[in-house]
Amino acid sequence: MIVEDNIEVRSFVKQIFEVNHNILEAENGKIALKLAIKHVPDLIVSDVIMPEMVGTELCSQIKENIKT
């Protein structure tokens, strides 16, 4: 999963990984958390400063949830 509020950066990172991997995208931590609970990705690459929920809060919530 790629979590990045800047669409150009998110698209660039996606292009690098999508050749060999299925990619989920989220524009902020709040959306990413919902996707992570639903799909349980193997890896999350996240920006730190984003609207709605910052990357550090996303990381904390991912670590606290037994599903993720």
Side-chain angles (χ1 to χ4, degrees):
M1 178 186 308
I2 300 166
V3 188
E4 169 62 58
D5 58 329
N6 183 305
I7 192 160
E8 290 89 13
V9 174
R10 193 170 68 237
S11 295
F12 176 73
V13 176
K14 180 182 178 184
Q15 288 177 353
I16 294 169
F17 290 105
E18 72 182 345
V19 174
N20 298 313
H21 305 282
N22 296 322
I23 305 295
L24 296 170
E25 295 180 68
E27 60 203 43
N28 62 54
K30 189 174 181 181
I31 294 169
L33 183 59
K34 289 179 185 178
L35 284 172
I37 291 169
K38 184 176 181 181
H39 298 283
V40 190
D42 293 328
L43 176 69
I44 299 173
V45 178
S46 178
D47 188 5
V48 175
I49 305 299
M50 299 177 289
E52 301 284 330
M53 181 188 296
V54 295
T56 53
E57 178 64 23
L58 171 63
C59 183
S60 293
Q61 294 215 16
I62 291 287
K63 288 167 54 175
E64 289 175 6
N65 190 321
I66 192 75
K67 287 185 172 184
T68 55

